[in-house]
Amino acid sequence: MDIQLIQGDITKVSADAIVNAANSSLMGGGGVDGAIHRAGGPEILAECREIISRIGSCNKGQVVPTSAGRLKARYVFHTVGPVWQGGAAGEAELLARCYEGSLELARELGLSSIAFPAISCGVYGYPKEEAVQVVRSVVDRWHEKTAGLTVIFVNLSRDMHRLYEKMFAGDAGANLSERKI
Ligand code: APR
């Protein structure tokens, strides 16, 4: 796994897959979910609707792929992070599952790159530093298993981007340039 950190809008990032921090209805919402559906167009929502008619709802930690409409990506991976409830409700495990399920799917599909937003760190209220620690532990577990995959962590806010920079500073292979889009 190669790591890149970008500060900016994930809908502008070129990657084989863009991960969406969705909710269990997969019917869109605010935050990054709204931005992805707005930029990607109605095709993505139509696919989500079809999937939900089959599976009922998307569980927390589950990952569901669709095509990416007008986005510069081949896929959108919709995943549902945990709502922060104080930390004793399995939030860290559920959050890790969102990242791991997405990496697993990227590997199965033979993708070269995947872009993640900070899942659960907006409306769902996950404490930012703790969320970045979860990401770090996933990266450590998956580093070897994902050779050749570029993983891009995209943050709209400078503060969140800085937390990632702090967490990954010194990593061999991590591209920590101040890319801004
Ligand atoms: N690009 C990158 N990051 C973004 C963008 C964007 N265009 N828009 C928002 N973000 C960041 C937020 O600043 C936050 O750090 O994504 C992170 C996740 O925030 P949310 O989008 O609020 O996602 P989450 O906390 O997982 O809540 C999910 O929000 O809108 C709904 O339908 C969604 O109900 C679901 C809930």
Side-chain angles (χ1 to χ4, degrees):
M1 174 192 301
D2 290 318
I3 298 164
Q4 283 185 18
L5 308 181
I6 293 181
Q7 189 195 343
D9 177 354
I10 200 167
T11 66
K12 304 280 199 305
V13 170
S14 288
D16 289 340
I18 288 179
V19 177
N20 181 19
N23 60 60
S24 56
S25 77
L26 298 191
M27 290 298 110
V32 73
D33 195 5
I36 285 173
H37 281 285
R38 269 194 308 279
E43 209 178 290
I44 300 175
L45 193 61
E47 274 184 61
C48 286
R49 196 166 280 129
E50 194 275 319
I51 290 165
I52 288 299
S53 74
R54 277 189 284 116
I55 68 172
S57 73
C58 184
N59 294 325
K60 292 196 185 306
Q62 194 178 350
V63 182
V64 168
T66 64
S67 60
R70 297 191 293 255
L71 294 173
K72 288 186 285 182
R74 286 163 62 193
Y75 301 97
V76 174
F77 289 177
H78 306 266
T79 190
V80 184
V83 176
W84 181 255
Q85 291 175 288
E91 291 95 328
E93 195 193 63
L94 283 170
L95 186 60
R97 222 181 279 164
C98 294
Y99 286 96
E100 292 182 321
S102 300
L103 292 172
E104 176 91 67
L105 192 54
R107 202 170 60 163
E108 276 170 26
L109 293 168
L111 306 187
S112 312
S113 56
I114 181 168
F116 285 98
I119 300 164
S120 285
C121 290
V123 175
Y124 283 180
Y126 209 107
K128 295 176 175 41
E129 303 206 352
E130 280 150 56
V132 180
Q133 264 160 23
V134 169
V135 170
R136 169 88 243 183
S137 66
V138 170
V139 165
D140 289 344
R141 283 198 297 276
W142 280 73
H143 214 274
E144 305 283 300
K145 291 188 271 183
T146 49
L149 181 68
T150 298
V151 178
I152 311 165
F153 295 109
V154 186
N155 286 288
L156 204 51
S157 86
R158 184 167 183 78
D159 286 357
M160 197 69 198
H161 178 67
R162 283 257 178 256
L163 288 180
Y164 273 80
E165 282 187 319
K166 252 172 67 187
M167 183 56 85
F168 290 101
D171 271 38
N175 173 359
L176 300 178
S177 58
E178 278 289 304
R179 259 180 86 186
K180 229 178 157 180
I181 49 169

